[in-house]
Amino acid sequence: MNSGHRDRPLTGWDLNHTGRVNPFPPTAVAKIAEFDDDTVTVYTPTVREAVRVMDDYLAAPTAKTTRTSPGNVLAIVGDYGTGKTHLAVELLRHARNSAGDTTGTLYLDAPADTFVTLYRRFVQQLDAADVNRRVSEYYADVIADALSVSEFTSEVSRQLRAGELDPVEAVDRLSLMESRFLQQVQITLHRVTRNEAFGTALTLLLRRGFADAVWEWLAGHAPDQILMDRGIDAAINNETAALEAMGVFALLYGHRNHRFVVVIDELDKLLSVSSRPTEDAVVGFKKLLEVFAAARALLVLVGLPDYLDVLGIDVLQRIGRIIRVSALTSENTSEFISRTQQRTLGKATLEPFTPDTVNYLVKLTDGAPRKVVRLCHHLYRKATDEGTQVTESMVRQVARTQFDFASIDKVRGEVRRVLDAHGLSYFPDHQVGRDPYSLADYWIPVGDLDSGCAVLLTESVLDATDSEALTRRAMSIHNAVADAETVLVVVGYLPSGISMELSEAFRIEPIVYDHWIFGESLAAILTSRVRSIEEVISGDPLVVLHDRVERMNRQQSNTQRFIERLAIHVDDMRASSDHRLGVIQRGLDEITNALYSGGPAGSPSNLESSTGFSRLPAEVRGLFNEAMATLDALNRMDIALRDAFVGTEQEPSQAVDARMNLRATLYSPNLFHAMGVAILLQKLVEAFRNGVNDWYRSREPNPQGKIELSDRVRLDALCRAYEALFAFLPAFRLNDLEEFPAHPGGRDDQLGEVVRSTRLTNVQDVFSSLGVHVHKAVLKSFSIINDDD
Amino acid sequence: MNPYLVPGLEAGPEGPLCPFRRPEHERYYVPLDNTQQAFEQFQEQIGDLRGLRDEGRLIMVSGQRGCGKTALINRCATWLRDGLDNLGIQGMIFSLTQEGLENQPIQRRMNHVFQCVVDDLWQRELLSKEDHIRGLKERRDDLDLAYRYLSGVLDDDIVTIVLLPPSADLVREVEGYAKYARKHIVFFVESSFVDSMERSWPDICTASRVSPILLEVGPLRERDGWLFAQARQEHHPIADEMFPRVSEKTMQRVTDGWETSVGQLQALLFGVYRERSNRPGPEITVTSDEVTYADITSYHFRLTRNRAGHIP
């Protein structure tokens, strides 16, 4: 088993005298806003294939000159962290660089909702001016056709086709027969979009005074009366209409020589087994794929492999190509390291990595890009800290730190919740047989005590030693009990090679903890394991039935208890909101008083000193606000203390409970450490924020609006100072704040635990990368993209 | 001096002829693009004008922009008013063609028109009784009742001739007016969305109490361009004075091969002449100068290049 000690998190800035920047991003989550022309993309076979599909699409001749479909649908699938989003965004960048003048691009993040929400995001991202231009082109062509037959108007016709003359202006200036052309455009757009309402609505964009009503309808709202008067009386508010509407725009863009590339990312949120779409939605989605293929549009669908399973064969047949992202090889990883350092440090080198450590890194991470990038950041940091090269043991050490992002205790709690929710009785820390290795973290008896299912929990399993220990435990349990099933939960990282070995020992693939789906996965596996044991041992079906009924009874009473706690929790949240509103109101009053009180001439105003961030640009201010918001443990302390006093007058029993609960918590020595760290961290961030604010105030003005070298040096020093101090803070102590309840439910506070655990996962990431992000945001506010000299 | 400048339309040379305001406009009508036939069709189909005291009527004029719809309506309304006058019936023309915005809901447009009619009737002292005014106010939320009431309180020797704002593509609006055309009320409506109105004409007929009249005008036919230019050149009040003329051959070249409207031609030729009259130089004579095809095409070309968006 791995040791429980954790290293402190690594930071993004070097402490040594060279002042080297860490070229690798600390979090490897692709964000489209952070993608720029310098972002490194390693051309793996997957990437090359996808780019080839894009190039073929961009080079395809017009629909009039070819019989094949000018459009296409491309699916990119892969597991979490395998680089799907990065590939999709790279494709968009490639399209813009290759044919930006004639190609419209759009990136959509699929919501965990319906296609209606997806459509609304789609419309929000559409460039209204671009849509108007597409419609105008149809109008121009209609008018140009009518005027081309006469010598007198041939020049006007030419100007319209060439885009030198706006058709609406031409109609006005030349007193042309507007309504005839508008009616023709409407018929054309109806034919092109295959939708009468859209034909009418898009044509109205050509008439003054209708744009607002049309865009409001396109955005999914109920049609304005002026649209209803013209036959548009249904809102785009169901999945069929939403999907049809998206197809309309694909067809609209397929005019003249235009291209339209749409990426829908995280499609599994819309299409998955757990959020299975309606039949109408699937039919609508199939039609959307057909429309994109028929139009001059490329639809790129990105997501986990699940969504393909949901779609069905006839829908899959509409997908032109399915690309499964491939893992990074050692060559790819070396190229990534080298190019990233070239980009940031100006030197293409593998140092401090070596070919051997790159190989090991790839093997450990199975070449998953997100894990590779994240480990590169932390390994680079550690190696330059220590002035050494990256070694295999360093890789293992960092992997354990970075991938053990949830504590075993927290996961144990989640396991208990799943067992309770399904009415399964269990024994924690149960020795199944006489062999001490037959210890199960949870033993679920089935039938009589000789049969059952053992759940084992472990941290990252990174080498043969860890694997052998777990295998031995599994074998001991199987030897001790004939009809035993075993389930392994890995809270951390599990390389695929070791996973296969453990699958054999446990007779089922281990569950790697994932906060989002762990409950579901565990429940499904336990249910099937228990059932298979029942099938094996059942002599008397009535016994099995009796057990199941008992289980259902337990499930029902657990659910009832949960609902009661939920009601109490909601009451508490309401009370705490009142409290927070009061705090906010007092704060506002103070600021108002400070504004009106004034101060001695030449001295900083009270506002500036009290708020301290009045000079920070919005993006920089947002980073600090986000960091402060994650430290809500301190707020919970306020609430707990408040509860001990505020209920005294009205609900004495509640106040007593609050005091008792608070005292019980205060018995934990870890809490004092955790609160101390939280307060120190809060002070550190405030000081950092004030320092950056003072930097903005005191920097030398530059005529070109850029940063003077001396100011740049000061900024670098500011951010390094923050990182240097943060590095010495035992931020891992913040995990102990999980012990701090927010309501009398205490340790069994299931709802509170769910809420807290989500927040704490992000805390360390937010603070460890704060210096890097603030530095980048400050530079960006002066239009400097590259933060290297 | 501009032969295409009609007296009374100095501020808006492209505006429609309006004989009920400017009687002299009557002689400016030129029989082209079916306007004469449409006018005669109206005279025939309106029938006995006395019947308008018992049953109202809807007259719709359909045609592309610039084809002379409003001018035709003005001519028909003038003729109707004069005809009623000869029968001792007071025909009151209410010109509301500028009273509606295309991007307003139908209900609001129609409410506004009704209010304008009531206001105008009151201002002309044709609705003086307080209880009539009150009755109209009480019914204004239901235009069917309101127009029914209005037609009931109007004196027997009055016929209101309402020239409605263009309905464009608002078919349902035209259907509404078809329903509201009761005794003493004649509605003239126009629309440039020819196909939509044609498609909906059966429904409009169904909504009407008495068969509505449909008049159609269209683009210029062959030789219409020359007819128009010739009429303007010869019928100008100061035709004897010298101004450059355009020839039949030139007009044929200008209008040949594409569909153009009289309004378009009017604007084009007006602009050409105005530009020439602003050109410095010696006095021009009929025999020494002519508006050539090159003159017109170069002006036309400059129109498309004018970024200010107005006629130069």
Side-chain angles (χ1 to χ4, degrees):
Chain A
M1 292 277 285
N2 297 319
S3 70
H5 177 68
R6 297 165 185 264
D7 284 341
R8 58 174 186 262
L10 300 175
T11 62
W13 291 86
D14 195 5
L15 292 175
N16 69 22
H17 64 281
T18 65
R20 285 167 71 183
V21 172
N22 190 329
F24 303 99
T27 54
V29 177
K31 288 183 187 168
I32 188 166
E34 294 176 357
F35 228 79
D36 57 29
D37 285 342
D38 288 343
T39 301
V40 172
T41 298
V42 175
Y43 269 49
T44 62
T46 300
V47 174
R48 273 196 288 275
E49 187 187 352
V51 169
R52 236 187 338 263
V53 170
M54 176 63 77
D55 284 339
D56 288 345
Y57 162 70
L58 293 174
T62 62
K64 290 180 184 172
T65 61
T66 177
R67 286 188 193 154
T68 58
S69 287
N72 211 338
V73 180
L74 170 66
I76 298 175
V77 294
D79 282 322
Y80 292 110
T82 51
K84 303 182 296 297
T85 299
H86 186 111
L87 173 56
V89 178
E90 171 67 22
L91 286 176
L92 288 179
R93 179 171 72 167
H94 183 78
R96 280 194 291 270
N97 289 345
S98 304
D101 290 343
T102 55
T103 304
T105 58
L106 209 134
Y107 173 88
L108 288 175
D109 216 339
D113 200 345
T114 66
F115 281 108
V116 176
T117 311
L118 177 73
Y119 168 72
R120 287 185 180 147
R121 289 186 184 183
F122 174 86
V123 167
Q124 276 169 3
Q125 292 222 30
L126 278 176
D127 180 350
D130 207 35
V131 171
N132 287 346
R133 276 191 292 271
R134 298 291 83 77
V135 174
S136 266
E137 282 169 359
Y138 280 98
Y139 194 31
D141 283 349
V142 159
I143 301 172
D145 284 346
L147 299 183
S148 64
V149 292
S150 161
E151 178 200 354
F152 182 70
T153 53
S154 58
E155 173 59 19
V156 175
S157 175
R158 186 201 66 76
Q159 289 176 22
L160 284 166
R161 286 201 206 279
E164 294 171 18
L165 184 58
D166 175 72
V168 173
E169 276 190 44
V171 163
D172 273 348
R173 285 188 208 155
L174 303 176
S175 304
L176 298 178
M177 291 188 286
E178 179 188 37
S179 48
R180 176 185 155 215
F181 297 130
L182 286 174
Q183 286 190 296
Q184 268 179 263
V185 167
Q186 185 171 340
I187 292 169
T188 302
L189 289 173
H190 178 187
R191 177 176 48 79
V192 166
T193 63
R194 306 172 195 176
N195 187 301
E196 188 172 357
F198 267 90
T200 304
L202 292 172
T203 304
L204 285 173
L205 289 175
L206 297 167
R207 293 165 65 180
R208 287 190 182 85
F210 289 93
D212 288 344
V214 170
W215 278 104
E216 188 184 41
W217 176 73
L218 289 174
H221 299 289
D224 187 272
Q225 187 61 45
I226 62 174
L227 298 188
M228 294 180 69
D229 287 342
R230 288 163 173 84
I232 302 172
D233 43 26
I236 306 170
N237 59 3
N238 59 69
E239 297 203 282
T240 304
L243 287 162
E244 195 175 342
M246 287 176 66
V248 159
F249 285 100
L251 291 163
L252 178 70
Y253 271 75
H255 188 55
R256 293 192 179 177
N257 200 30
H258 293 291
R259 309 284 198 288
F260 188 43
V261 181
V262 176
V263 167
I264 305 179
D265 198 1
E266 299 192 68
L267 194 54
D268 43 273
K269 283 199 241 169
L270 269 172
L271 302 170
S272 69
V273 172
S274 56
S275 65
R276 194 173 275 275
T278 62
E279 199 175 313
D280 283 348
V282 173
V283 168
F285 189 68
K286 182 172 97 173
K287 194 174 166 197
L288 178 70
L289 304 193
E290 288 169 358
V291 165
F292 264 79
R296 289 188 59 75
L298 177 65
L299 182 61
V300 182
L301 307 172
V302 184
L304 300 175
D306 299 1
Y307 82 83
L308 292 179
D309 298 331
V310 171
L311 286 176
I313 295 290
D314 58 339
V315 179
L316 290 179
Q317 285 172 346
R318 268 79 183 163
I319 297 178
R321 192 86 64 92
I322 298 176
I323 291 178
R324 295 180 194 275
V325 286
S326 50
L328 295 175
T329 62
S330 298
E331 288 74 26
N332 296 149
T333 305
S334 298
E335 183 189 339
F336 168 71
I337 291 169
S338 174
R339 284 176 59 194
T340 302
Q341 299 203 84
Q342 164 78 51
R343 172 194 166 199
T344 314
L345 304 174
K347 191 176 167 194
T349 175
L350 202 55
E351 288 277 329
F353 298 87
T354 65
D356 286 341
T357 51
V358 168
N359 288 340
Y360 185 68
L361 176 63
V362 171
K363 184 181 156 195
L364 196 64
T365 59
D366 296 321
R370 186 176 295 166
K371 290 176 181 164
V372 165
V373 171
R374 194 167 161 190
L375 282 180
C376 279
H377 172 84
H378 293 288
L379 285 167
Y380 181 93
R381 185 75 190 87
K382 189 169 174 61
T384 49
D385 257 356
E386 296 173 5
T388 62
Q389 287 193 322
V390 174
T391 62
E392 284 189 18
S393 66
M394 189 188 291
V395 174
R396 280 194 295 276
Q397 192 179 18
V398 169
R400 284 199 184 93
T401 308
Q402 291 308 314
F403 296 131
D404 290 354
F405 46 78
S407 74
I408 284 272
D409 285 342
K410 175 184 161 305
V411 178
R412 285 174 72 96
E414 288 197 44
V415 171
R416 281 200 304 276
R417 271 195 298 282
V418 171
L419 295 173
D420 286 338
H422 286 77
L424 293 167
S425 60
Y426 58 90
F427 299 102
D429 301 318
H430 179 77
Q431 191 150 325
V432 180
R434 275 188 270 182
D435 185 345
Y437 280 95
S438 66
L439 180 71
D441 290 285
Y442 291 95
W443 174 250
I444 303 157
V446 180
D448 55 40
L449 284 176
D450 284 344
S451 312
C453 181
V455 178
L456 276 60
L457 277 74
T458 183
E459 292 177 335
S460 294
V461 184
L462 297 178
D463 55 24
T465 309
D466 296 339
S467 172
E468 278 161 16
L470 289 166
T471 302
R472 185 164 175 187
R473 286 177 68 187
M475 286 175 57
S476 300
I477 291 170
H478 290 138
N479 290 339
V481 173
D483 299 312
E485 296 288 351
T486 46
V487 175
L488 176 64
V489 175
V490 177
V491 184
Y493 189 64
L494 178 66
S496 57
I498 298 178
S499 175
M500 281 169 54
E501 293 166 14
L502 291 171
S503 299
E504 274 191 42
F506 283 82
R507 302 177 192 168
I508 189 172
E509 198 176 331
I511 303 173
V512 178
Y513 177 79
D514 179 326
H515 166 77
W516 298 106
I517 60 170
F518 175 66
E520 265 178 45
S521 307
L522 180 64
I525 286 173
L526 287 178
T527 305
S528 87
R529 297 277 102 177
V530 166
R531 198 158 287 166
S532 68
I533 298 172
E534 285 174 345
E535 283 166 8
V536 169
I537 65 171
S538 64
D540 185 352
L542 282 178
V543 170
V544 173
L545 184 63
H546 174 262
D547 285 351
R548 289 193 185 169
V549 168
E550 280 217 1
R551 209 179 308 148
M552 281 171 61
N553 285 339
R554 282 195 294 271
Q555 201 171 353
Q556 193 174 0
S557 61
N558 290 340
T559 304
Q560 182 62 32
R561 221 170 25 245
F562 179 78
I563 289 172
E564 285 166 8
R565 290 216 173 102
L566 181 62
I568 296 171
H569 192 88
V570 166
D571 285 341
D572 262 358
M573 281 173 67
R574 193 179 305 125
S576 88
S577 304
D578 292 342
H579 168 75
R580 288 185 198 205
L581 278 172
V583 170
I584 290 169
Q585 183 61 49
R586 281 195 295 281
L588 283 173
D589 289 342
E590 283 167 19
I591 289 170
T592 308
N593 290 339
L595 271 174
Y596 283 106
S597 69
S603 67
S605 69
N606 287 340
L607 174 64
E608 197 169 328
S609 62
S610 66
T611 59
F613 47 80
S614 57
R615 293 183 188 259
L616 300 179
E619 189 180 351
V620 176
R621 196 163 58 239
L623 289 169
F624 285 115
N625 289 346
E626 185 196 11
M628 297 304 278
T630 57
L631 280 179
D632 64 349
L634 300 173
N635 290 332
R636 283 187 278 122
M637 168 60 91
D638 285 341
I639 293 165
L641 289 170
R642 190 251 330 148
D643 283 346
F645 291 94
V646 81
T648 305
E649 292 170 19
Q650 291 141 11
E651 295 289 333
S653 63
Q654 197 173 338
V656 169
D657 288 340
R659 286 200 304 274
M660 288 175 63
N661 189 49
L662 186 57
R663 280 207 303 268
T665 307
L666 291 176
Y667 285 141
S668 164
N670 288 340
L671 177 69
F672 292 103
H673 293 297
M675 292 305 297
V677 170
I679 291 171
L680 271 173
L681 194 49
Q682 185 185 54
K683 298 296 178 195
L684 174 62
V685 171
E686 281 175 5
F688 184 23
R689 183 185 64 196
N690 290 340
V692 174
N693 184 57
D694 286 339
W695 179 89
Y696 269 98
R697 191 175 52 191
S698 61
R699 68 174 191 88
E700 281 184 40
N702 179 289
Q704 284 85 36
K706 297 207 178 287
I707 305 179
E708 295 290 336
L709 182 61
S710 56
D711 290 325
R712 180 74 182 266
V713 169
R714 286 198 303 127
L715 177 67
D716 292 350
L718 264 176
C719 296
R720 261 204 301 279
Y722 165 78
E723 294 294 350
L725 290 170
F726 178 77
F728 281 101
L729 272 181
F732 67 95
R733 292 284 186 190
L734 293 172
N735 292 332
D736 292 326
L737 288 173
E738 288 179 2
E739 303 297 323
F740 200 92
H743 89 84
R747 277 190 173 273
D748 293 328
D749 167 24
Q750 298 176 15
L751 179 65
E753 280 198 52
V754 168
V755 171
R756 283 193 294 278
S757 63
T758 309
R759 290 196 292 263
L760 282 170
T761 302
N762 298 328
V763 163
Q764 295 193 33
D765 276 346
V766 167
F767 288 104
S768 65
S769 59
L770 182 62
V772 171
H773 287 148
V774 165
H775 190 270
K776 197 169 176 182
V778 170
L779 294 181
K780 193 175 164 191
S781 69
F782 291 91
S783 302
I784 296 174
I785 296 174
N786 199 332
D787 59 1
D788 251 351
D789 287 324
Chain B
M1 176 225 326
N2 197 323
Y4 298 92
L5 182 60
V6 174
L9 296 182
E10 292 81 2
E14 293 176 51
L17 298 172
C18 189
F20 62 79
R21 285 201 180 115
R22 299 292 293 244
E24 66 270 30
H25 283 187
E26 193 64 57
R27 62 191 187 85
Y28 281 86
Y29 284 91
V30 181
L32 42 78
D33 70 21
N34 202 47
T35 51
Q36 184 61 31
Q37 289 90 320
F39 179 60
E40 289 167 4
Q41 178 192 342
F42 167 74
Q43 290 171 314
E44 187 189 325
Q45 288 189 4
I46 197 68
D48 184 354
L49 299 184
R50 281 179 286 243
L52 294 174
R53 292 180 300 184
D54 302 317
E55 291 285 355
R57 211 76 183 270
L58 174 81
I59 298 100
M60 184 162 102
V61 179
S62 160
Q64 298 293 339
R65 169 185 168 184
C67 289
K69 298 184 295 295
T70 311
L72 174 60
I73 286 174
N74 291 342
R75 193 183 186 192
C76 294
T78 308
W79 179 87
L80 185 60
R81 180 198 63 184
D82 294 344
L84 286 166
D85 217 27
N86 291 339
L87 296 171
I89 300 170
Q90 206 176 357
M92 312 293 301
I93 297 176
F94 299 91
S95 179
L96 305 178
T97 54
Q98 308 291 316
E99 290 294 336
L101 293 175
E102 275 190 5
N103 65 342
Q104 279 180 333
I106 290 175
Q107 194 59 50
R108 197 188 308 174
R109 285 165 51 99
M110 295 180 89
N111 286 347
H112 180 72
V113 161
F114 177 74
Q115 193 59 52
C116 288
V117 168
V118 168
D119 289 348
D120 285 358
L121 282 169
W122 187 79
Q123 280 171 8
R124 298 185 202 191
E125 297 179 357
L126 297 172
L127 263 185
S128 51
K129 293 184 183 169
E130 285 293 330
D131 50 350
H132 288 169
I133 303 285
R134 192 169 42 247
L136 287 169
K137 270 189 186 166
E138 286 168 2
R139 289 164 178 77
R140 67 181 170 197
D141 290 335
D142 184 337
L143 289 179
D144 200 12
L145 281 178
Y147 277 110
R148 180 175 181 276
Y149 185 82
L150 176 65
S151 71
V153 302
L154 286 171
D155 286 347
D156 207 43
D157 63 346
I158 288 175
V159 170
T160 56
I161 305 165
V162 183
L163 312 189
L164 295 166
S167 285
D169 54 345
L170 298 172
V171 171
R172 293 180 202 174
E173 183 176 83
V174 179
E175 282 179 24
Y177 283 121
K179 214 168 44 164
Y180 303 152
R182 293 171 178 271
K183 61 180 179 179
H184 299 294
I185 301 175
V186 175
F187 285 123
F188 279 90
V189 66
E190 62 175 280
S191 170
S192 56
F193 283 73
V194 175
D195 293 341
S196 305
M197 292 301 160
E198 186 184 330
R199 217 177 293 128
S200 306
W201 188 247
D203 295 330
I204 295 170
C205 292
T206 304
S208 304
R209 293 165 206 287
V210 178
S211 293
I213 299 172
L214 174 62
L215 308 174
E216 291 169 300
V217 293
L220 297 175
R221 296 167 299 192
E222 198 179 341
R223 294 196 80 241
D224 276 351
W226 165 239
L227 278 176
F228 177 73
Q230 187 182 38
R232 286 288 177 273
Q233 285 174 160
E234 289 174 7
H235 295 157
H236 196 275
I238 41 176
D240 291 339
E241 290 206 17
M242 294 179 289
F243 59 86
R245 309 242 165 181
V246 63
S247 69
E248 181 176 356
K249 189 176 170 190
T250 296
M251 284 316 305
Q252 204 143 351
R253 277 186 81 185
V254 168
T255 58
D256 205 26
W258 65 300
E259 283 193 339
T260 182
S261 66
V262 63
Q264 200 174 349
L265 198 59
Q266 156 73 19
L268 178 67
L269 294 172
F270 174 86
V272 169
Y273 273 84
R274 187 170 63 176
E275 194 178 71
R276 281 184 68 109
S277 69
N278 290 339
R279 192 188 303 164
E283 187 75 26
I284 47 178
T285 64
V286 173
T287 54
S288 67
D289 203 0
E290 179 184 324
V291 173
T292 63
Y293 180 71
D295 289 336
I296 299 175
T297 50
S298 65
Y299 170 76
H300 194 239
F301 178 78
R302 279 193 294 283
L303 258 189
T304 64
R305 296 288 174 187
N306 185 338
R307 293 295 171 207
H310 58 263
I311 298 172

